[in-house]
């Protein structure tokens, strides 16, 4: 003990600590090394596991993608992975779904166009769902219906259920769409809904179709049954026998109003992802259907429809007061409607 005490001077006393055992020091170093080794191994394993599972994670997350992912970054907001409450998507749960809405006017070919889309094995277009007032009585009702459709919980004859690659419906401009356009545009942009506008170039032919269809609701020319669309030439011929009388006095004003309404709809939804189609273009050039499938990012297929066009041939065969209509439109910007056919 005396060796551990040193006197440097009379006033300072230093006491040396007892020497540590070499065995204790070695044990401390050994334990520290083992802890560091375990920690380093765990980090390496975690990195390997993350690298292995990165592709699976990317398939399940809509708003995030791997930097090495081949998916076009511009379409990420339009890829969705719905989780229906009414059924399971099974092996298709990792298949992305795109949302769309066909925005149109009555008797503009939207029914025929929708049957074309539904002939695609991966498309579910659920019809004119807002034709019922109850579903569009206010914006809350509209949003609830759209949520149900885009969650794949809306069932119709067109539902493909598990493996739908694109899901949507038909929406007429006069069914709450224009009235609540601000909220609907916000919804489309937030949910990544693509808008497909479908109009007719020849508004006079549309007018004939509207009047004839309205008449048949009460006349029921097909064996007491009203049909807006037909699947045989015989049925089409029967319905086309009715020739409506068109109000020649207000005709030009009416045509202008329809043009303005269509233009306003496109203006309202200009900030959305959209495409504008015309019925006549689809009839004359079926390659336009390739553009539609590209727009929805679908695998290309030959699209077909059983529907038969009702009013075919020259317009003078379908308007009772043809001379009045011809005289009214001749020399105007709408004169082309009198001659064009397809």
């Amino acid at each position: 003990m005396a060796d551990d005490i040193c006197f440097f001077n009379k006033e300072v006393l230093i006491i040396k600590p007892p020497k540590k055992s070499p065995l204790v020091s070695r044990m401390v170093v050994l334990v520290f090394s083992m802890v560091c080794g375990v920690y380093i191994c765990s980090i390496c394993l975690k990195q390997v596991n993350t690298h292995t599972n990165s592709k699976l994670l990317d398939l399940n997350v809509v708003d995030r993608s791997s930097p090495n992912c081949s998916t076009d970054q511009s379409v990420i907001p339009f890829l969705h992975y719905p989780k229906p409450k009414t059924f399971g998507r099974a092996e298709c749960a990792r298949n992305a779904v795109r949302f769309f809405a066909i925005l149109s006017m009555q008797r503009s070919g939207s029914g025929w166009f929708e049957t074309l889309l539904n002939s695609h094995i991966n498309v579910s277009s659920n019809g004119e769902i807002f034709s019922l007032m109850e579903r569009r009585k206010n914006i809350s009702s509209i949003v609830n219906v759209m949520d149900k459709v885009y969650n794949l919980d809306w069932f119709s004859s067109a539902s493909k259920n598990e493996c739908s690659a694109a899901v949507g419906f038909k929406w007429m401009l006069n069914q709450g769409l224009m009235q609540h356009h601000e909220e609907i545009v916000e919804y489309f942009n937030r949910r990544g809904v693509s808008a497909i506008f479908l109009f007719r170039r020849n508004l006079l032919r549309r007018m004939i179709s509207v009047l004839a269809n309205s008449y048949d609701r009460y006349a029921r020319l097909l064996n007491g049954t009203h049909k807006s669309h037909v699947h045989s030439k015989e049925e089409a011929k029967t319905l086309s026998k009715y020739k409506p009388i068109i109000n020649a006095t207000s005709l030009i004003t009416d045509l202008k109003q329809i043009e303005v309404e269509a233009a306003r709809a496109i203006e309202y939804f200009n900030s959305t992802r959209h495409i504008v189609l015309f019925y006549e273009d689809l009839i004359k050039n079926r390659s336009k259907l390739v553009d539609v499938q590209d727009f929805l990012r679908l695998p290309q297929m030959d699209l077909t429809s059983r529907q038969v066009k009702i009013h075919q041939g020259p317009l003078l065969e379908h308007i009772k007061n043809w001379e009045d209509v011809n005289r009214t439109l001749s020399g105007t910007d709408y004169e082309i409607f009198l001659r064009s056919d397809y």
Side-chain angles (χ1 to χ4, degrees):
M1 184 68 182
D3 295 338
D4 297 330
I5 303 176
C6 299
F7 292 89
F8 287 92
N9 55 47
K10 295 181 180 181
E11 297 178 357
V12 179
L13 174 65
I14 299 177
I15 302 177
K16 294 182 179 180
K19 295 181 180 179
K20 293 183 179 179
S21 171
L23 180 61
V24 174
S25 300
R26 290 172 183 172
M27 288 296 295
V28 171
V29 172
L30 180 61
V31 170
F32 180 78
S33 300
M34 292 177 62
V35 171
C36 289
V38 171
Y39 177 77
I40 292 171
C41 288
S42 66
I43 293 298
C44 292
L45 288 173
K46 185 178 294 185
Q47 289 178 345
V48 171
N49 187 56
T50 302
H51 178 74
T52 303
N53 293 329
S54 63
K55 292 184 178 179
L56 295 179
L57 291 174
D58 292 337
L59 287 174
N60 291 326
V61 180
V62 176
D63 296 326
R64 184 179 66 201
S65 61
S66 168
N68 297 323
C69 181
S70 60
T71 304
D72 183 356
Q73 299 298 302
S74 64
V75 304
I76 292 299
F78 301 95
L79 300 179
H80 309 279
Y81 299 86
K83 296 181 179 178
K85 298 178 181 179
T86 50
F87 67 92
R89 296 190 68 206
E91 70 275 7
C92 298
R94 292 183 178 181
N95 286 9
V97 179
R98 289 170 175 80
F99 301 158
F100 69 88
I102 303 168
L103 311 183
S104 186
M105 297 179 175
Q106 284 85 353
R107 313 310 295 177
S108 295
S110 60
W112 168 74
F113 177 71
E114 190 175 44
T115 61
L116 288 171
L117 285 184
N118 279 326
S119 70
H120 195 291
I121 192 172
N122 298 122
V123 177
S124 295
S125 191
N126 294 279
E128 203 171 315
I129 60 177
F130 287 113
S131 59
L132 297 181
M133 179 63 71
E134 182 180 352
R135 296 173 183 166
R136 54 184 167 93
K137 59 184 178 182
N138 52 50
I139 189 60
S140 296
S141 301
I142 291 173
V143 169
N144 288 337
V145 169
M146 289 194 291
D147 283 344
K148 195 171 182 180
V149 170
Y150 295 132
N151 200 48
L152 305 185
D153 284 320
W154 188 274
F155 293 104
S156 71
S157 58
S159 300
K160 303 295 194 306
N161 296 336
E162 293 92 345
C163 286
S164 291
V167 61
F169 57 91
K170 222 174 34 159
W171 202 346
M172 302 297 104
L173 301 189
N174 62 353
Q175 293 174 348
L177 183 68
M178 303 293 278
Q179 180 182 355
H180 301 288
H181 67 90
E182 291 182 355
E183 296 91 340
I184 296 167
V185 166
E186 188 277 330
Y187 181 95
F188 278 17
N189 287 329
R190 174 169 50 85
R191 295 296 308 274
V193 179
S194 299
I196 301 175
F197 287 100
L198 178 65
F199 299 120
R200 287 185 84 151
R201 293 188 183 278
N202 193 325
L203 301 181
L204 182 59
R205 281 189 175 272
R206 175 184 176 270
M207 188 176 292
I208 294 170
S209 183
V210 169
L211 293 173
N213 186 64
S214 178
Y215 171 79
D216 190 66
R217 289 182 183 276
Y218 305 97
R220 301 179 182 273
L221 299 177
L222 295 174
N223 299 320
T225 303
H226 168 62
K227 288 186 178 182
S228 295
H229 308 99
V230 296
H231 299 116
S232 72
K233 293 181 179 180
E234 291 73 21
E235 290 178 326
K237 186 176 180 180
T238 299
L239 291 182
S240 66
K241 288 179 179 178
Y242 170 71
K243 296 182 179 182
I245 296 176
I246 293 179
N247 188 336
T249 303
S250 63
L251 179 56
I252 292 180
T253 301
D254 294 340
L255 293 175
K256 286 182 178 179
Q257 184 177 351
I258 297 171
E259 285 182 329
V260 169
E261 187 75 356
R264 184 182 294 122
I266 296 174
E267 180 183 356
Y268 284 165
F269 287 80
N270 190 49
S271 65
T272 66
R273 180 176 183 267
H274 66 275
I275 185 174
V276 180
L277 304 172
F278 291 94
Y279 172 74
E280 290 85 348
D281 297 344
L282 294 172
I283 289 286
K284 294 177 181 178
N285 185 4
R286 288 303 183 95
S287 66
K288 292 290 184 181
L289 295 176
V290 174
D291 298 337
V292 175
Q293 294 179 76
D294 284 342
F295 177 72
L296 293 176
R297 306 298 175 97
L298 295 169
Q300 291 292 329
M301 289 186 61
D302 290 331
L303 306 183
T304 60
S305 173
R306 294 177 54 239
Q307 286 192 15
V308 177
K309 189 172 181 292
I310 296 175
H311 297 97
Q312 303 187 45
L315 280 179
L316 60 88
E317 297 178 358
H318 302 294
I319 300 175
K320 191 168 185 178
N321 58 332
W322 166 253
E323 292 183 359
D324 294 337
V325 172
N326 184 57
R327 185 167 49 252
T328 300
L329 297 185
S330 293
T332 70
D333 293 339
Y334 302 111
E335 183 176 5
I336 190 174
F337 294 167
L338 300 171
R339 320 296 177 209
S340 60
D341 195 12
Y342 42 86

